[in-house]
Structures are given as C-alpha cells and as structure tokens.
C-alpha cells in the first residue's frame, strides 16, 4: 500500500516533453552533489538529449517518468550493465522527503520481475540508501568511482534486491 501523501504517484512512459523537466532537475547543484555520478557538464543540452536517445533506444531497458498529480517530478530507469540489471532514479529536489522515490522504486519493482537487481548510491547519500532499503535492497559491496559533481573519487554502495528478498 502506498504511503499517505504519495498515492498520487504513478509511473508512465517517457514523453518527449518530459525531457525539459528532467533537464531542469539536473541543473540543481545540491541534487547533483547528492547524486554524485552525473554528466561532466550538466548544462550541455545536446549531450543530455543524446543520453536520453540512447536510454530510450534500448529494447531491454525500462524508462519511466515519475508523476505526482500529473506533474513530472523525476524519472526511474532499469538498465543493464554487463549481465546485471540495475535501477537508477532522479527526483526533483523540491520533492525530496515526500516518499515519492520510495513509491516510484516500489512501482517499478512491481512492473519488473527480474531479480536479482542492483542499485548504486553514493555512500554518504543516506536518503537514497533508505529509499532502496525500504524496498528490500541490502548493501552487498562497496566501490569507488569518480564523481563529476564533486570533482573527486568517492565511496559508492552496491545494493541488491535478490529473488530471495521481498520488497514492499
């Protein structure tokens, strides 16, 4: 059951007009800092469009717009790295703390039966880590990677939802 206040959250196919909202969300410096692993130049609209063209062209990837009350407030993607499926999401920072990300992850996991499924999060991004934990993900490893948003190598958590785990 959806948490109070997020019952109007839904996922839908990405429409061309959604990219404007996604691009705007990406301009928020605080959000980029938390996400950490972002494009080198978040203001480069041409690279942004090329990225979304690639995302939407993959036949096995699932990209959804996250809506609340009919307004695009973010996106969520299931993609494949090597042989492993992984999810990633972005929520407009003005909507953080409202349960939207938790509900969006739950909805995508309901849509996608594929397990195991991974997610990665900057080690100091406690909000995003909690979103994943509420959906049954557990930390299974650590990695280090270069964060464009922070200009340095940072710690990253590898999170897993296996077929033996239940999300809620």
């Amino acid at each position: 059951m959806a948490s109070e206040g997020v019952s109007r959250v839904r996922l839908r196919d990405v429409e061309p007009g959604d990219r404007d909202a996604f691009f705007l969300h990406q301009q928020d410096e605080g959000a980029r800092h938390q996400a950490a692993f972002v494009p080198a130049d978040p203001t480069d609209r041409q690279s942004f469009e090329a990225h979304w063209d690639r995302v939407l062209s993959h036949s096995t990837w699932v990209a959804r717009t996250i809506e609340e009350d009919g307004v695009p407030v973010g996106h969520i993607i299931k993609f494949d790295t090597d042989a492993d499926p992984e999810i990633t999401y972005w929520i407009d920072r003005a909507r953080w703390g409202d349960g939207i990300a938790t509900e969006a992850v739950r909805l995508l996991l309901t849509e996608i039966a594929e397990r195991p499924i991974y997610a990665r999060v900057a080690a100091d991004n406690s909000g995003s880590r909690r979103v994943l934990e509420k959906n049954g993900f557990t930390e299974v490893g650590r990695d280090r990677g270069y964060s464009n948003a922070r200009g340095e190598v940072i710690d990253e958590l590898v999170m897993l939802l296996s077929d033996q785990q239940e999300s809620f």
Side-chain angles (χ1 to χ4, degrees), residues 70-88:
V71 176
V73 296
H75 64 270
I76 188 165
I77 303 166
K78 190 283 293 187
F79 63 100
D80 301 303
T81 58
D82 298 321
D84 297 322
E86 189 169 328
I87 65 167
T88 186

Side-chain angles (χ1 to χ4, degrees), residues 110-148:
T110 300
E111 179 180 343
I112 298 170
E114 196 172 2
R115 304 288 186 274
I117 192 163
Y118 291 85
R120 292 174 172 263
V121 60
D124 62 355
N125 186 340
S126 60
S128 195
R129 178 183 182 158
R130 185 71 188 124
V131 164
L132 294 167
E133 290 173 341
K134 286 180 180 181
N135 279 286
F137 284 81
T138 58
E139 180 184 338
V140 294
R142 290 186 174 243
D143 202 355
R144 291 181 58 75
Y146 184 78
S147 164
N148 285 324

Side-chain angles (χ1 to χ4, degrees), residues 57-77:
S57 71
H58 283 274
S59 63
T60 62
W61 293 15
V62 177
R64 300 288 182 256
T65 295
I66 303 166
E67 271 190 350
E68 183 181 37
D69 295 330
V71 176
V73 296
H75 64 270
I76 188 165
I77 303 166

Side-chain angles (χ1 to χ4, degrees), residues 5-11 66-69 99-100 103-104 107:
V6 295
S7 60
R8 294 181 304 254
V9 172
R10 74 178 191 109
L11 303 183
I66 303 166
E67 271 190 350
E68 183 181 37
D69 295 330
I100 295 168
E103 182 68 3
L107 290 168

Side-chain angles (χ1 to χ4, degrees), residues 39-60:
D41 181 1
T43 65
D44 183 341
R45 185 67 187 238
Q46 186 173 352
S47 291
F48 172 86
E49 293 293 341
H51 165 77
W52 274 99
D53 288 345
R54 282 189 306 275
V55 167
L56 296 173
S57 71
H58 283 274
S59 63
T60 62

